[in-house]
Amino acid sequence: DYPITEAQVKSYMKMLLHGVAFCHENSIMHRDLKPANLLISSTGHLKICDFGLARVFDKNQSNRLYTAQVATRWYRAPELLYCANKYNEGVDLWAVGCIFGELLNKSPLFAGDTDIEQLSLVIRALGTPNEKIWPGLIDLPDYNKIEFPHYDPIPFEELVPDASKEAVDLLQRFLVYRSDKRIRARDAILHPYFYVQPLPCHHTDLPIPKRSKKVHTYEYDLDKPILDSIIDPDLLKNYV
């Protein structure tokens, strides 16, 4: 019921980045990072879940083809919105940037209702891309299917008006058109954002989510003979 503090945002982001870095260092693209796929344990630790769309990637095989129909729309990288079938772990890093922006603003950065609107929101914020800032743009499968007017980029300070200068700097390193220019998770962990006050809080200082499921309470009969509580070993023969 209480808004999370800046120290808590830093703690969540640092745990997320450690998880993403581990995946990428083991050649795994998650391809569906979003708040709904981040779970908080009873001890306050953040866990990445739902690897149903995850794939193994090989940096030495840049020509491998993948489907573009991955990632939830609000966290989908621009190359996926243009239906790219060749991409890398940068799609996860874009999603991390969107999650970070959502934590900073307390609302999604790009909340499109359709893929075209989603791409439009990104372009209105980052400016209209071209071959100079995004080499290979015109070769993307859906590039010629829709044309956007020219937009100048909006300063990131306006996208996240309540964020610190360090947070703004880190965010704009994630939200870059060129996938290979997005800051890698392991490098992001070392960004100054995490080393200026307030520092990331300890996981024990993070809010613990309420459990929605009822916990079954076992009732014990102290007067019941102990022999009546022992399982007959013969009943287990077929399972051992």
Side-chain angles (χ1 to χ4, degrees):
D1 295 335
Y2 299 94
I4 58 177
T5 65
E6 186 176 359
Q8 291 170 339
V9 170
K10 289 184 178 183
S11 183
Y12 284 134
M13 281 301 300
K14 201 164 187 181
M15 286 189 281
L16 172 58
L17 287 168
H18 275 290
V20 173
F22 180 84
C23 290
H24 291 174
E25 288 164 5
N26 286 277
S27 302
I28 296 173
M29 287 188 288
H30 187 280
R31 303 201 305 175
D32 195 19
L33 289 173
K34 57 183 177 181
N37 284 340
L38 305 178
L39 305 181
I40 307 300
S41 74
S42 59
T43 56
H45 289 96
L46 182 147
K47 307 286 186 179
I48 299 174
C49 72
D50 194 353
F51 283 76
L53 292 176
R55 291 294 182 273
V56 173
F57 69 92
D58 186 346
K59 292 182 178 179
N60 297 320
Q61 294 182 354
S62 58
N63 290 325
R64 181 174 176 178
L65 301 181
Y66 301 95
T67 175
Q69 301 305 312
V70 294
T72 301
R73 181 178 295 122
W74 294 357
Y75 311 93
R76 193 175 297 162
E79 59 267 32
L80 296 178
L81 293 169
Y82 275 120
C83 288
N85 50 24
K86 295 179 183 178
Y87 52 84
N88 55 30
E89 71 273 26
V91 298
D92 287 345
L93 301 171
W94 176 275
V96 169
C98 292
I99 293 170
F100 184 31
E102 188 166 338
L103 286 170
L104 294 173
N105 273 1
K106 310 298 188 294
S107 63
L109 281 181
F110 312 117
D113 291 328
T114 66
D115 287 355
I116 292 177
E117 183 184 6
Q118 185 69 23
L119 187 55
S120 175
L121 291 173
V122 171
I123 288 175
R124 286 171 184 267
L126 301 189
T128 306
N130 54 49
E131 273 287 312
K132 183 177 180 181
I133 64 174
W134 188 357
L137 170 65
I138 62 175
D139 297 324
L140 293 174
D142 282 4
Y143 174 74
N144 291 314
K145 290 184 178 180
I146 185 170
E147 185 176 346
F148 293 96
H150 176 78
Y151 292 106
D152 291 323
I154 298 174
F156 273 79
E157 291 81 0
E158 295 181 18
L159 289 178
V160 283
D162 297 324
S164 66
K165 64 178 182 179
E166 292 83 9
V168 170
D169 183 75
L170 178 57
L171 180 64
Q172 65 186 7
R173 292 173 185 267
F174 282 118
L175 301 182
V176 181
Y177 279 126
R178 282 185 58 173
S179 176
D180 61 330
K181 295 296 184 181
R182 294 170 197 153
I183 187 170
R184 269 32 198 173
R186 187 61 67 188
D187 296 330
I189 295 170
L190 302 177
H191 191 275
Y193 169 70
F194 296 106
Y195 301 96
V196 295
Q197 294 292 340
L199 296 175
C201 68
H202 193 266
H203 67 87
T204 56
D205 293 325
L206 292 168
I208 304 301
K210 295 180 181 178
R211 294 185 178 274
S212 58
K213 294 183 178 179
K214 293 182 179 179
V215 179
H216 179 73
T217 303
Y218 294 94
E219 296 180 1
Y220 298 93
D221 185 355
L222 298 179
D223 296 325
K224 187 176 182 180
I226 191 169
L227 289 177
D228 293 344
S229 301
I230 297 177
I231 298 175
D232 184 352
D234 290 336
L235 298 175
L236 304 177
K237 279 199 241 177
N238 296 330
Y239 304 96
V240 177

